[in-house]
Amino acid sequence: MDFFNVFVQQIINGVSLGSIYALIALGYTMVYGIIKLINFAHGDIYMVGAYVSFFAVTMANMSIVPALLISMVVTALLGMLVERLAYAPLRHAPRISVLITAIGMSFLLEYGSMYFVSPTPRTFPEVMGNLAYNIGGFVINGQQLLIFAITTILMIILTYVVQKTKVGQAMRAVSFDTETAQLMGINANRIINFTFGIGSALAAAGGVLVGVYYNSIDPLMGIMPGLKAFVAAVFGGIGSIPGAMAGGIMLGVIEALVSGFISSTFRDAAAFAILILVLLFRPSGIFGKAVREKV
Amino acid sequence: MAAMLEMKDVNVFYGNIHAIQDVNLSVNQGEIVTLIGANGAGKSTTLRTISGLLKPKSGEIFFEGQPIGGQPAQNIVKAGISQVPEGRRIFANMTVLENLELGAYTRSDKDGIAADMEVVFGRFPRLKERLQQEAGTLSGGEQQMLAMGRALMSRPKLLLLDEPSMGLAPILIKEIFSIISDINATGTTILLVEQNANMALKVAHRAYVLETGRITLSGDADELASSEAIRKAYLGG
């Protein structure tokens, strides 16, 4: 087993982990792009997504794809509800108030979930069997293939919606200049709400895939991936959709390489070291444009 | 005949600042009415209130007899009022075409939108040449034309123009004002806010003068243009 083999194998692992970060990072970046809020409850939305699919698979005996779809729908509705109840009333409040509300909402979701589903971690059922493909000496397992497939499909759909549809055009307009978008007759509140829905559905997909990948879910599972996805979004350039995709995957690859060549203990340290470096040297991220603050 | 747009005793606040006070103003169908005044007099505030971006604290606004004061902005656009905001505010990261499409956001009549797009191209041929270009790369005059074309795409009955001459070269200012007259001649009523009182009074039928949030003078544009007080305060002598 030489350097090259370890390297390629870690890249495969890193891309699959990174795809999940990317799915969560998209929600952060889209919400930030549209209302300049770092939605700290986003990681917990992802946790709820994992639980919904867990119950769909274990109690309703669904297979993974329908469970994923149900989880995305339920979680999208939850995200929209959270926005309507907790953030929309603060639309004209100082940004710090909304940020603190988001932190509060995060705790509410974490500890509310503990109350309802118990704090004990649950074992996510085996949905892909023991599939594993050996391609030229490198192992790709069924879970990883599922992650690649789902992430790719979701990113294509998202790109299409944002770039080609009327609602996507409205999202970009509101994100660029909310007030002028309103002058076009766009109902900004509805578009913002819709953006939370899409972001939450993508996070839910991430949550389901993590359940599938690591086989274990618990009410606090959203904290670390939530923070990592935030790092990924900043890394890619917060507010940029391609940035979140690239940032998530790169972060996953870097973590995997650190685990493979140094030690998995340093994995998280590497992620946050990246955040510090990006903030120091390229605060607008790899895809972000240095935009002036609007006055 | 009842006025197309009527503001009755409208008061608007920005926090504690009383931005416009007891404003009474009317615009009749077919007119160009201009609202002139110094920087900070409340001209933009008046337009933003009509467009639903600001809610009046008191007073009423009627459009074609219907109360519209305090309604959300999308309802105002649907009612037939569209605004070209101060500083053009085009969507710089989108193409010229997308900007125009967004102007027609409230409409779903594909054929009508396509027809109006042609009308806009007829009025602003340069936009047609630059259809796939990012709007942010246009020159200032082209951006103003795009902002006006975008506002026309909702097929408004009343067009609100906020400082269309701002930052433009004199030759372009002339062009923009002649386009304003053209748009009016084809049946669109216009409420024009301007610091360039000279040009505004030339194209307008009637005018209001706004000073620190209050309307202090109103009348026929020609009369105001020749009045001593106006000449001194706004027309440079």
Side-chain angles (χ1 to χ4, degrees):
Chain A
M1 204 58 182
D2 57 359
F3 174 86
F4 178 75
N5 282 352
V6 178
F7 182 78
V8 174
Q9 190 61 55
Q10 289 304 338
I11 295 272
I12 294 172
N13 297 344
V15 171
S16 51
L17 177 65
S19 303
I20 293 167
Y21 290 153
L23 286 174
I24 313 171
L26 282 166
Y28 270 116
T29 222
M30 288 166 74
V31 163
Y32 183 84
I34 210 153
I35 54 168
K36 304 286 174 284
L37 164 71
I38 303 296
N39 179 16
F40 278 112
H42 192 59
D44 306 300
I45 293 277
Y46 144 99
M47 171 272 296
V48 173
Y51 269 94
V52 173
S53 67
F54 170 80
F55 288 117
V57 170
T58 53
M59 294 169 81
N61 284 320
M62 287 184 174
S63 62
I64 189 66
V65 172
L68 177 83
L69 292 176
I70 290 215
S71 157
M72 287 176 75
V73 170
V74 171
T75 313
L77 293 175
L78 175 69
M80 291 162 90
L81 187 71
V82 166
E83 193 275 332
R84 201 32 60 88
L85 293 180
Y87 304 147
L90 295 174
R91 193 78 80 226
H92 301 287
R95 241 190 263 171
I96 191 80
S97 314
V98 197
L99 192 71
I100 291 166
T101 306
I103 294 171
M105 186 48 76
S106 166
F107 286 130
L108 178 68
L109 288 170
E110 285 164 15
Y111 295 95
S113 303
M114 279 195 184
Y115 178 78
F116 286 111
V117 300
S118 96
T120 325
R122 312 253 185 165
T123 308
F124 205 90
E126 191 78 57
V127 288
M128 295 302 287
N130 282 324
L131 278 177
Y133 299 90
N134 196 316
I135 303 169
F138 304 110
V139 181
I140 300 183
N141 62 33
Q143 287 96 315
Q144 287 172 326
L145 279 180
L146 183 76
I147 292 173
F148 295 145
I150 303 267
T151 319
T152 309
I153 293 169
L154 289 177
M155 287 189 180
I156 290 172
I157 294 175
L158 177 72
T159 307
Y160 176 82
V161 168
V162 171
Q163 294 299 331
K164 301 288 177 198
T165 65
K166 194 167 174 175
V167 61
Q169 206 174 39
M171 284 167 69
R172 284 180 290 138
V174 173
S175 161
F176 186 79
D177 182 343
T178 308
E179 212 166 63
T180 306
Q182 287 175 288
L183 288 179
M184 303 298 109
I186 294 169
N187 184 340
N189 281 330
R190 192 178 293 167
I191 296 295
I192 291 166
N193 198 242
F194 182 76
T195 305
F196 270 85
I198 293 192
S200 303
L202 293 171
V208 178
L209 294 175
V210 154
V212 171
Y213 197 49
Y214 291 118
N215 293 329
S216 171
I217 62 173
D218 68 88
L220 298 184
M221 68 183 274
I223 299 176
M224 208 41 160
L227 285 173
K228 299 273 188 67
F230 171 61
V231 173
V234 173
F235 187 24
I238 188 107
S240 156
I241 288 178
M245 295 178 185
I249 289 172
M250 287 166 80
L251 185 67
V253 168
I254 291 167
E255 283 194 4
L257 292 177
V258 169
S259 308
F261 287 106
I262 305 170
S263 156
S264 54
T265 326
F266 290 117
R267 208 177 71 163
D268 297 350
F272 294 106
I274 287 173
L275 177 67
I276 293 169
L277 290 176
V278 169
L279 290 176
L280 279 177
F281 295 109
R282 199 173 157 75
S284 52
I286 39 181
F287 280 76
K289 287 180 213 149
V291 206
R292 278 181 305 140
E293 276 282 293
K294 265 180 285 181
V295 282
Chain B
M1 192 192 79
M4 182 184 230
L5 179 82
E6 182 133 44
M7 297 178 82
K8 281 187 178 164
D9 302 322
V10 173
N11 285 282
V12 179
F13 288 76
Y14 279 116
N16 287 326
I17 302 159
H18 201 164
I20 60 174
Q21 310 182 23
D22 298 322
V23 163
N24 286 283
L25 172 157
S26 68
V27 181
N28 297 312
Q29 173 123 30
E31 278 187 317
I32 300 182
V33 172
T34 186
L35 191 58
I36 56 178
N39 224 341
K43 306 186 300 291
S44 293
T45 304
T46 307
L47 291 197
R48 289 158 56 81
T49 307
I50 298 171
S51 277
L53 295 177
L54 295 171
K55 293 199 189 321
K57 182 124 190 180
S58 65
E60 285 174 297
I61 307 173
F62 293 96
F63 181 65
E64 296 187 320
Q66 301 297 316
I68 58 163
Q71 292 223 21
Q74 69 267 17
N75 293 9
I76 309 287
V77 177
K78 279 179 204 148
I81 302 177
S82 145
Q83 184 184 152
V84 181
E86 183 179 353
R88 325 186 225 293
R89 308 271 288 259
I90 52 152
F91 298 106
N93 59 346
M94 297 192 206
T95 64
V96 169
L97 177 64
E98 282 188 302
N99 271 271
L100 293 174
E101 284 170 353
L102 279 164
Y105 183 80
T106 52
R107 299 172 60 181
S108 49
D109 54 325
K110 277 211 167 85
D111 295 345
I113 294 172
D116 282 356
M117 190 98 63
E118 285 306 317
V119 174
V120 168
F121 295 151
R123 223 180 272 291
F124 308 106
R126 259 181 287 174
L127 295 184
K128 190 167 186 176
E129 295 161 21
R130 310 206 186 288
L131 219 47
Q132 297 302 335
Q133 203 167 313
E134 254 192 29
T137 65
L138 299 180
S139 70
E142 288 164 346
Q143 292 192 7
Q144 184 61 46
M145 292 176 188
L146 178 57
M148 289 169 73
R150 183 181 66 179
L152 289 171
M153 286 304 295
S154 67
R155 197 181 279 181
K157 297 170 192 161
L158 174 63
L159 183 64
L160 311 176
L161 295 164
D162 196 348
E163 306 268 11
S165 75
M166 194 167 79
L168 298 184
I171 175 105
L172 276 170
I173 295 181
K174 265 195 155 158
E175 195 179 339
I176 293 290
F177 275 98
S178 106
I179 292 168
I180 293 171
S181 291
D182 283 353
I183 292 171
N184 179 247
T186 51
T188 309
T189 309
I190 290 173
L191 176 57
L192 168 67
V193 156
E194 259 301 337
Q195 278 198 63
N196 187 339
N198 222 337
M199 290 298 284
L201 290 172
K202 266 183 204 150
V203 299
H205 304 111
R206 286 190 306 117
Y208 291 87
V209 178
L210 205 56
E211 277 178 46
T212 56
R214 291 176 183 279
I215 287 180
T216 50
L217 269 174
S218 64
D220 281 349
D222 298 344
E223 282 172 26
L224 283 183
S226 54
S227 105
E228 192 62 24
I230 295 289
R231 297 195 71 81
K232 278 233 170 74
Y234 302 106
L235 304 176

